[in-house]
PDB file of all heavy atoms in Angstrom:
ATOM      1  N   GLY A   1      10.431 -29.844 -13.354  1.00  0.00           N
ATOM      2  CA  GLY A   1       9.998 -31.092 -12.758  1.00  0.00           C
ATOM      3  C   GLY A   1      10.870 -31.572 -11.615  1.00  0.00           C
ATOM      4  O   GLY A   1      10.603 -32.614 -11.027  1.00  0.00           O
ATOM      5  N   SER A   2      11.922 -30.813 -11.292  1.00  0.00           N
ATOM      6  CA  SER A   2      12.793 -31.195 -10.186  1.00  0.00           C
ATOM      7  C   SER A   2      12.079 -30.972  -8.855  1.00  0.00           C
ATOM      8  O   SER A   2      11.252 -30.075  -8.718  1.00  0.00           O
ATOM      9  CB  SER A   2      14.074 -30.356 -10.191  1.00  0.00           C
ATOM     10  OG  SER A   2      14.772 -30.531 -11.397  1.00  0.00           O
ATOM     11  N   GLU A   3      12.414 -31.789  -7.873  1.00  0.00           N
ATOM     12  CA  GLU A   3      11.851 -31.633  -6.543  1.00  0.00           C
ATOM     13  C   GLU A   3      12.453 -30.406  -5.866  1.00  0.00           C
ATOM     14  O   GLU A   3      13.642 -30.147  -5.981  1.00  0.00           O
ATOM     15  CB  GLU A   3      12.146 -32.890  -5.732  1.00  0.00           C
ATOM     16  CG  GLU A   3      11.380 -32.979  -4.454  1.00  0.00           C
ATOM     17  CD  GLU A   3      11.582 -34.308  -3.776  1.00  0.00           C
ATOM     18  OE1 GLU A   3      12.557 -34.412  -3.005  1.00  0.00           O
ATOM     19  OE2 GLU A   3      10.789 -35.233  -4.029  1.00  0.00           O
ATOM     20  N   TRP A   4      11.631 -29.653  -5.152  1.00  0.00           N
ATOM     21  CA  TRP A   4      12.071 -28.444  -4.472  1.00  0.00           C
ATOM     22  C   TRP A   4      11.488 -28.431  -3.071  1.00  0.00           C
ATOM     23  O   TRP A   4      10.282 -28.603  -2.886  1.00  0.00           O
ATOM     24  CB  TRP A   4      11.626 -27.217  -5.242  1.00  0.00           C
ATOM     25  CG  TRP A   4      11.948 -25.921  -4.578  1.00  0.00           C
ATOM     26  CD1 TRP A   4      13.172 -25.355  -4.435  1.00  0.00           C
ATOM     27  CD2 TRP A   4      11.017 -25.026  -3.961  1.00  0.00           C
ATOM     28  NE1 TRP A   4      13.072 -24.154  -3.768  1.00  0.00           N
ATOM     29  CE2 TRP A   4      11.754 -23.935  -3.465  1.00  0.00           C
ATOM     30  CE3 TRP A   4       9.651 -25.038  -3.793  1.00  0.00           C
ATOM     31  CZ2 TRP A   4      11.167 -22.870  -2.811  1.00  0.00           C
ATOM     32  CZ3 TRP A   4       9.060 -23.982  -3.136  1.00  0.00           C
ATOM     33  CH2 TRP A   4       9.825 -22.908  -2.658  1.00  0.00           C
ATOM     34  N   ILE A   5      12.328 -28.246  -2.067  1.00  0.00           N
ATOM     35  CA  ILE A   5      11.895 -28.164  -0.678  1.00  0.00           C
ATOM     36  C   ILE A   5      12.220 -26.754  -0.178  1.00  0.00           C
ATOM     37  O   ILE A   5      13.387 -26.384  -0.074  1.00  0.00           O
ATOM     38  CB  ILE A   5      12.594 -29.219   0.199  1.00  0.00           C
ATOM     39  CG1 ILE A   5      12.283 -30.612  -0.333  1.00  0.00           C
ATOM     40  CG2 ILE A   5      12.164 -29.073   1.655  1.00  0.00           C
ATOM     41  CD1 ILE A   5      13.076 -31.717   0.330  1.00  0.00           C
ATOM     42  N   PRO A   6      11.184 -25.936   0.117  1.00  0.00           N
ATOM     43  CA  PRO A   6      11.447 -24.564   0.572  1.00  0.00           C
ATOM     44  C   PRO A   6      12.081 -24.545   1.953  1.00  0.00           C
ATOM     45  O   PRO A   6      11.835 -25.422   2.772  1.00  0.00           O
ATOM     46  CB  PRO A   6      10.065 -23.924   0.587  1.00  0.00           C
ATOM     47  CG  PRO A   6       9.112 -25.066   0.709  1.00  0.00           C
ATOM     48  CD  PRO A   6       9.772 -26.246   0.057  1.00  0.00           C
ATOM     49  N   GLN A   7      12.891 -23.534   2.204  1.00  0.00           N
ATOM     50  CA  GLN A   7      13.533 -23.328   3.501  1.00  0.00           C
ATOM     51  C   GLN A   7      12.866 -22.134   4.158  1.00  0.00           C
ATOM     52  O   GLN A   7      12.918 -21.024   3.633  1.00  0.00           O
ATOM     53  CB  GLN A   7      15.033 -23.072   3.313  1.00  0.00           C
ATOM     54  CG  GLN A   7      15.756 -24.192   2.597  1.00  0.00           C
ATOM     55  CD  GLN A   7      15.740 -25.486   3.395  1.00  0.00           C
ATOM     56  OE1 GLN A   7      16.036 -25.488   4.574  1.00  0.00           O
ATOM     57  NE2 GLN A   7      15.381 -26.565   2.738  1.00  0.00           N
ATOM     58  N   PHE A   8      12.221 -22.357   5.287  1.00  0.00           N
ATOM     59  CA  PHE A   8      11.507 -21.301   5.978  1.00  0.00           C
ATOM     60  C   PHE A   8      12.351 -20.730   7.111  1.00  0.00           C
ATOM     61  O   PHE A   8      13.081 -21.443   7.781  1.00  0.00           O
ATOM     62  CB  PHE A   8      10.185 -21.826   6.552  1.00  0.00           C
ATOM     63  CG  PHE A   8       9.216 -22.248   5.486  1.00  0.00           C
ATOM     64  CD1 PHE A   8       9.071 -23.584   5.162  1.00  0.00           C
ATOM     65  CD2 PHE A   8       8.470 -21.313   4.796  1.00  0.00           C
ATOM     66  CE1 PHE A   8       8.182 -23.977   4.176  1.00  0.00           C
ATOM     67  CE2 PHE A   8       7.585 -21.694   3.809  1.00  0.00           C
ATOM     68  CZ  PHE A   8       7.441 -23.035   3.499  1.00  0.00           C
ATOM     69  N   ILE A   9      12.220 -19.445   7.339  1.00  0.00           N
ATOM     70  CA  ILE A   9      12.911 -18.776   8.440  1.00  0.00           C
ATOM     71  C   ILE A   9      12.087 -18.993   9.700  1.00  0.00           C
ATOM     72  O   ILE A   9      10.868 -18.789   9.709  1.00  0.00           O
ATOM     73  CB  ILE A   9      13.049 -17.270   8.153  1.00  0.00           C
ATOM     74  CG1 ILE A   9      13.946 -17.060   6.946  1.00  0.00           C
ATOM     75  CG2 ILE A   9      13.568 -16.533   9.372  1.00  0.00           C
ATOM     76  CD1 ILE A   9      14.010 -15.623   6.485  1.00  0.00           C
ATOM     77  N   THR A  10      12.738 -19.407  10.763  1.00  0.00           N
ATOM     78  CA  THR A  10      12.033 -19.640  12.027  1.00  0.00           C
ATOM     79  C   THR A  10      12.327 -18.567  13.059  1.00  0.00           C
ATOM     80  O   THR A  10      11.660 -18.504  14.083  1.00  0.00           O
ATOM     81  CB  THR A  10      12.403 -21.014  12.610  1.00  0.00           C
ATOM     82  OG1 THR A  10      13.816 -21.075  12.783  1.00  0.00           O
ATOM     83  CG2 THR A  10      11.972 -22.134  11.676  1.00  0.00           C
ATOM     84  N   ALA A  11      13.327 -17.724  12.810  1.00  0.00           N
ATOM     85  CA  ALA A  11      13.655 -16.643  13.744  1.00  0.00           C
ATOM     86  C   ALA A  11      14.309 -15.503  12.979  1.00  0.00           C
ATOM     87  O   ALA A  11      14.982 -15.725  11.976  1.00  0.00           O
ATOM     88  CB  ALA A  11      14.599 -17.148  14.823  1.00  0.00           C
ATOM     89  N   LEU A  12      14.090 -14.295  13.459  1.00  0.00           N
ATOM     90  CA  LEU A  12      14.703 -13.112  12.855  1.00  0.00           C
ATOM     91  C   LEU A  12      15.654 -12.482  13.852  1.00  0.00           C
ATOM     92  O   LEU A  12      15.317 -12.313  15.020  1.00  0.00           O
ATOM     93  CB  LEU A  12      13.639 -12.089  12.475  1.00  0.00           C
ATOM     94  CG  LEU A  12      12.655 -12.525  11.400  1.00  0.00           C
ATOM     95  CD1 LEU A  12      11.544 -11.500  11.267  1.00  0.00           C
ATOM     96  CD2 LEU A  12      13.368 -12.701  10.087  1.00  0.00           C
ATOM     97  N   SER A  13      16.821 -12.112  13.391  1.00  0.00           N
ATOM     98  CA  SER A  13      17.802 -11.463  14.248  1.00  0.00           C
ATOM     99  C   SER A  13      17.673  -9.947  14.096  1.00  0.00           C
ATOM    100  O   SER A  13      17.815  -9.421  12.987  1.00  0.00           O
ATOM    101  CB  SER A  13      19.212 -11.891  13.839  1.00  0.00           C
ATOM    102  OG  SER A  13      20.171 -11.085  14.467  1.00  0.00           O
ATOM    103  N   PRO A  14      17.400  -9.234  15.171  1.00  0.00           N
ATOM    104  CA  PRO A  14      17.303  -7.770  15.082  1.00  0.00           C
ATOM    105  C   PRO A  14      18.587  -7.126  14.562  1.00  0.00           C
ATOM    106  O   PRO A  14      18.542  -6.094  13.902  1.00  0.00           O
ATOM    107  CB  PRO A  14      17.021  -7.330  16.518  1.00  0.00           C
ATOM    108  CG  PRO A  14      16.464  -8.535  17.189  1.00  0.00           C
ATOM    109  CD  PRO A  14      17.100  -9.716  16.509  1.00  0.00           C
ATOM    110  N   GLN A  15      19.734  -7.730  14.825  1.00  0.00           N
ATOM    111  CA  GLN A  15      21.004  -7.175  14.362  1.00  0.00           C
ATOM    112  C   GLN A  15      21.181  -7.346  12.851  1.00  0.00           C
ATOM    113  O   GLN A  15      21.910  -6.592  12.222  1.00  0.00           O
ATOM    114  CB  GLN A  15      22.179  -7.841  15.080  1.00  0.00           C
ATOM    115  CG  GLN A  15      22.263  -7.537  16.555  1.00  0.00           C
ATOM    116  CD  GLN A  15      21.309  -8.388  17.389  1.00  0.00           C
ATOM    117  OE1 GLN A  15      20.863  -9.437  16.960  1.00  0.00           O
ATOM    118  NE2 GLN A  15      20.992  -7.910  18.578  1.00  0.00           N
ATOM    119  N   ALA A  16      20.522  -8.328  12.256  1.00  0.00           N
ATOM    120  CA  ALA A  16      20.683  -8.596  10.828  1.00  0.00           C
ATOM    121  C   ALA A  16      19.667  -7.845   9.967  1.00  0.00           C
ATOM    122  O   ALA A  16      19.754  -7.874   8.746  1.00  0.00           O
ATOM    123  CB  ALA A  16      20.565 -10.097  10.566  1.00  0.00           C
ATOM    124  N   ARG A  17      18.724  -7.168  10.576  1.00  0.00           N
ATOM    125  CA  ARG A  17      17.684  -6.473   9.821  1.00  0.00           C
ATOM    126  C   ARG A  17      18.264  -5.317   9.013  1.00  0.00           C
ATOM    127  O   ARG A  17      19.166  -4.630   9.443  1.00  0.00           O
ATOM    128  CB  ARG A  17      16.626  -5.929  10.777  1.00  0.00           C
ATOM    129  CG  ARG A  17      15.852  -7.039  11.454  1.00  0.00           C
ATOM    130  CD  ARG A  17      14.742  -6.506  12.278  1.00  0.00           C
ATOM    131  NE  ARG A  17      13.815  -5.807  11.396  1.00  0.00           N
ATOM    132  CZ  ARG A  17      12.914  -4.949  11.828  1.00  0.00           C
ATOM    133  NH1 ARG A  17      12.816  -4.674  13.092  1.00  0.00           N
ATOM    134  NH2 ARG A  17      12.100  -4.337  10.984  1.00  0.00           N
ATOM    135  N   VAL A  18      17.699  -5.104   7.818  1.00  0.00           N
ATOM    136  CA  VAL A  18      18.116  -3.990   6.968  1.00  0.00           C
ATOM    137  C   VAL A  18      16.960  -3.030   6.689  1.00  0.00           C
ATOM    138  O   VAL A  18      17.132  -2.032   6.021  1.00  0.00           O
ATOM    139  CB  VAL A  18      18.731  -4.487   5.635  1.00  0.00           C
ATOM    140  CG1 VAL A  18      20.003  -5.258   5.889  1.00  0.00           C
ATOM    141  CG2 VAL A  18      17.733  -5.315   4.855  1.00  0.00           C
ATOM    142  N   GLY A  19      15.757  -3.357   7.176  1.00  0.00           N
ATOM    143  CA  GLY A  19      14.615  -2.467   7.006  1.00  0.00           C
ATOM    144  C   GLY A  19      13.906  -2.580   5.674  1.00  0.00           C
ATOM    145  O   GLY A  19      13.192  -1.667   5.283  1.00  0.00           O
ATOM    146  N   CYS A  20      14.056  -3.703   4.973  1.00  0.00           N
ATOM    147  CA  CYS A  20      13.440  -3.848   3.654  1.00  0.00           C
ATOM    148  C   CYS A  20      11.943  -4.118   3.724  1.00  0.00           C
ATOM    149  O   CYS A  20      11.212  -3.841   2.780  1.00  0.00           O
ATOM    150  CB  CYS A  20      14.131  -4.956   2.859  1.00  0.00           C
ATOM    151  SG  CYS A  20      13.859  -6.610   3.544  1.00  0.00           S
ATOM    152  N   GLY A  21      11.459  -4.697   4.835  1.00  0.00           N
ATOM    153  CA  GLY A  21      10.031  -4.955   4.998  1.00  0.00           C
ATOM    154  C   GLY A  21       9.557  -6.287   4.465  1.00  0.00           C
ATOM    155  O   GLY A  21       8.371  -6.578   4.498  1.00  0.00           O
ATOM    156  N   ARG A  22      10.438  -7.131   3.956  1.00  0.00           N
ATOM    157  CA  ARG A  22      10.009  -8.424   3.412  1.00  0.00           C
ATOM    158  C   ARG A  22       9.339  -9.297   4.463  1.00  0.00           C
ATOM    159  O   ARG A  22       8.328  -9.933   4.194  1.00  0.00           O
ATOM    160  CB  ARG A  22      11.186  -9.179   2.805  1.00  0.00           C
ATOM    161  CG  ARG A  22      11.628  -8.635   1.497  1.00  0.00           C
ATOM    162  CD  ARG A  22      12.729  -9.492   0.936  1.00  0.00           C
ATOM    163  NE  ARG A  22      13.142  -8.997  -0.355  1.00  0.00           N
ATOM    164  CZ  ARG A  22      14.069  -9.547  -1.089  1.00  0.00           C
ATOM    165  NH1 ARG A  22      14.704 -10.615  -0.650  1.00  0.00           N
ATOM    166  NH2 ARG A  22      14.383  -9.044  -2.254  1.00  0.00           N
ATOM    167  N   CYS A  23       9.892  -9.333   5.668  1.00  0.00           N
ATOM    168  CA  CYS A  23       9.308 -10.168   6.719  1.00  0.00           C
ATOM    169  C   CYS A  23       7.891  -9.689   7.041  1.00  0.00           C
ATOM    170  O   CYS A  23       6.986 -10.480   7.241  1.00  0.00           O
ATOM    171  CB  CYS A  23      10.184 -10.184   7.967  1.00  0.00           C
ATOM    172  SG  CYS A  23      10.495  -8.559   8.685  1.00  0.00           S
ATOM    173  N   TYR A  24       7.706  -8.381   7.049  1.00  0.00           N
ATOM    174  CA  TYR A  24       6.396  -7.798   7.323  1.00  0.00           C
ATOM    175  C   TYR A  24       5.395  -8.176   6.235  1.00  0.00           C
ATOM    176  O   TYR A  24       4.257  -8.513   6.514  1.00  0.00           O
ATOM    177  CB  TYR A  24       6.537  -6.279   7.423  1.00  0.00           C
ATOM    178  CG  TYR A  24       5.225  -5.541   7.476  1.00  0.00           C
ATOM    179  CD1 TYR A  24       4.480  -5.497   8.641  1.00  0.00           C
ATOM    180  CD2 TYR A  24       4.737  -4.896   6.347  1.00  0.00           C
ATOM    181  CE1 TYR A  24       3.276  -4.822   8.687  1.00  0.00           C
ATOM    182  CE2 TYR A  24       3.535  -4.220   6.388  1.00  0.00           C
ATOM    183  CZ  TYR A  24       2.810  -4.194   7.558  1.00  0.00           C
ATOM    184  OH  TYR A  24       1.619  -3.539   7.597  1.00  0.00           O
ATOM    185  N   LYS A  25       5.828  -8.154   4.985  1.00  0.00           N
ATOM    186  CA  LYS A  25       4.937  -8.416   3.859  1.00  0.00           C
ATOM    187  C   LYS A  25       4.495  -9.873   3.765  1.00  0.00           C
ATOM    188  O   LYS A  25       3.399 -10.153   3.327  1.00  0.00           O
ATOM    189  CB  LYS A  25       5.620  -8.017   2.555  1.00  0.00           C
ATOM    190  CG  LYS A  25       5.837  -6.531   2.429  1.00  0.00           C
ATOM    191  CD  LYS A  25       6.649  -6.216   1.195  1.00  0.00           C
ATOM    192  CE  LYS A  25       7.022  -4.755   1.145  1.00  0.00           C
ATOM    193  NZ  LYS A  25       7.954  -4.456   0.069  1.00  0.00           N
ATOM    194  N   VAL A  26       5.348 -10.803   4.159  1.00  0.00           N
ATOM    195  CA  VAL A  26       5.037 -12.218   3.958  1.00  0.00           C
ATOM    196  C   VAL A  26       4.593 -12.957   5.213  1.00  0.00           C
ATOM    197  O   VAL A  26       4.207 -14.105   5.137  1.00  0.00           O
ATOM    198  CB  VAL A  26       6.229 -12.980   3.337  1.00  0.00           C
ATOM    199  CG1 VAL A  26       6.602 -12.391   1.999  1.00  0.00           C
ATOM    200  CG2 VAL A  26       7.412 -13.008   4.283  1.00  0.00           C
ATOM    201  N   CYS A  27       4.607 -12.319   6.367  1.00  0.00           N
ATOM    202  CA  CYS A  27       4.261 -13.002   7.619  1.00  0.00           C
ATOM    203  C   CYS A  27       2.772 -13.376   7.622  1.00  0.00           C
ATOM    204  O   CYS A  27       1.914 -12.505   7.594  1.00  0.00           O
ATOM    205  CB  CYS A  27       4.576 -12.116   8.824  1.00  0.00           C
ATOM    206  SG  CYS A  27       4.205 -12.928  10.392  1.00  0.00           S
ATOM    207  N   PRO A  28       2.444 -14.680   7.659  1.00  0.00           N
ATOM    208  CA  PRO A  28       1.040 -15.086   7.623  1.00  0.00           C
ATOM    209  C   PRO A  28       0.295 -14.776   8.913  1.00  0.00           C
ATOM    210  O   PRO A  28      -0.914 -14.679   8.918  1.00  0.00           O
ATOM    211  CB  PRO A  28       1.107 -16.587   7.378  1.00  0.00           C
ATOM    212  CG  PRO A  28       2.418 -17.000   7.950  1.00  0.00           C
ATOM    213  CD  PRO A  28       3.342 -15.832   7.705  1.00  0.00           C
ATOM    214  N   LYS A  29       1.004 -14.591   9.998  1.00  0.00           N
ATOM    215  CA  LYS A  29       0.363 -14.308  11.288  1.00  0.00           C
ATOM    216  C   LYS A  29       0.391 -12.827  11.633  1.00  0.00           C
ATOM    217  O   LYS A  29      -0.112 -12.422  12.664  1.00  0.00           O
ATOM    218  CB  LYS A  29       1.032 -15.122  12.387  1.00  0.00           C
ATOM    219  CG  LYS A  29       0.881 -16.598  12.145  1.00  0.00           C
ATOM    220  CD  LYS A  29       1.318 -17.390  13.331  1.00  0.00           C
ATOM    221  CE  LYS A  29       1.228 -18.850  12.976  1.00  0.00           C
ATOM    222  NZ  LYS A  29       0.322 -19.576  13.784  1.00  0.00           N
ATOM    223  N   GLN A  30       0.981 -12.027  10.776  1.00  0.00           N
ATOM    224  CA  GLN A  30       1.093 -10.579  10.952  1.00  0.00           C
ATOM    225  C   GLN A  30       1.620 -10.223  12.342  1.00  0.00           C
ATOM    226  O   GLN A  30       1.092  -9.363  13.029  1.00  0.00           O
ATOM    227  CB  GLN A  30      -0.248  -9.908  10.683  1.00  0.00           C
ATOM    228  CG  GLN A  30      -0.710 -10.135   9.261  1.00  0.00           C
ATOM    229  CD  GLN A  30      -2.036  -9.493   8.966  1.00  0.00           C
ATOM    230  OE1 GLN A  30      -2.716  -9.002   9.839  1.00  0.00           O
ATOM    231  NE2 GLN A  30      -2.415  -9.502   7.702  1.00  0.00           N
TER     232      GLN A  30
END
């Protein structure tokens, strides 16, 4: 019942990528 505010990513850094594919799987705009 606690309040929860999600934190959305607004930008991706190419240097921080690890190749897991999560951003690809969840992107609503593909």
Side-chain angles (χ1 to χ4, degrees):
S2 301
E3 192 173 88
W4 176 71
I5 301 172
Q7 302 296 312
F8 295 100
I9 295 173
T10 57
L12 296 172
S13 168
Q15 293 80 21
R17 293 186 62 197
V18 296
C20 68
R22 285 184 178 181
C23 58
Y24 170 77
K25 293 174 187 172
V26 300
C27 181
K29 298 190 184 242
Q30 298 180 351

